[in-house]
Amino acid sequence: MRKTLLAFTALAFMAWGCSPADDREPVSPPVEIPAGTDVRPAWSAPNYDLYADWMNIEVLLQDTLARYASAQDLLCATIHNEVRGVASAQLIDGQWLFSLTVGSNDAHLMVTLSYYCDRLHRIFTIDWIPFNASLAPTGTGGLYKPPFVQ
């Protein structure tokens, strides 16, 4: 009887030690992004009548920056340092979204994105994609969620 009780106790201890909670991957702490000194940029939307083609796309803010986002944030698209589109942040279904229209007369020119984070007082800039008027407005991946912070 004593051996049976000891075996049962050992079996219960082993089963408890192999719980599914131990199979989870460790959670990394959120990346801390230091505040900067950038002032809110005076980006203004271009006159889209000057452009033959438009690229309409919904850009999601990457997860690393989402916790710092606010309705005062801005997204700017430039081609050759000329503003070709500006969008304000919108919180939709728990995600920060920018509905961006980019104008161009030349296909395949590189579009640069600049994101102004009001809470951090920082501007993050990346070379994004070549201009493509036939691009789908929504989707997944780095195209629609650009990696401003690596």
Side-chain angles (χ1 to χ4, degrees), residues 56-142:
N56 296 303
I57 190 164
E58 291 185 353
V59 177
L60 291 168
L61 190 58
Q62 82 181 103
D63 299 339
T64 306
L65 291 168
R67 67 189 198 136
Y68 300 103
S70 72
Q72 283 66 49
D73 294 0
L74 294 172
L75 186 68
C76 178
T78 60
I79 296 176
H80 294 306
N81 296 318
E82 181 182 323
V83 174
R84 300 295 183 94
V86 177
S88 297
Q90 301 172 2
L91 185 60
I92 299 175
D93 295 330
Q95 291 189 309
W96 288 98
L97 175 82
F98 297 88
S99 294
L100 185 65
T101 299
V102 182
S104 182
N105 290 322
D106 299 308
H108 310 297
L109 293 176
M110 182 57 71
V111 177
T112 299
L113 285 184
S114 295
Y115 164 65
Y116 171 71
C117 180
D118 189 66
R119 287 191 179 147
L120 292 174
H121 300 287
R122 286 194 54 191
I123 297 173
F124 301 87
T125 301
I126 62 167
D127 286 330
W128 186 38
I129 59 170
F131 181 86
N132 181 352
S134 64
L135 189 66
T138 60
T140 60

Side-chain angles (χ1 to χ4, degrees), residues 15-27:
W16 175 75
C18 296
S19 70
D22 293 339
D23 295 338
R24 291 181 291 196
E25 291 187 27
V27 176

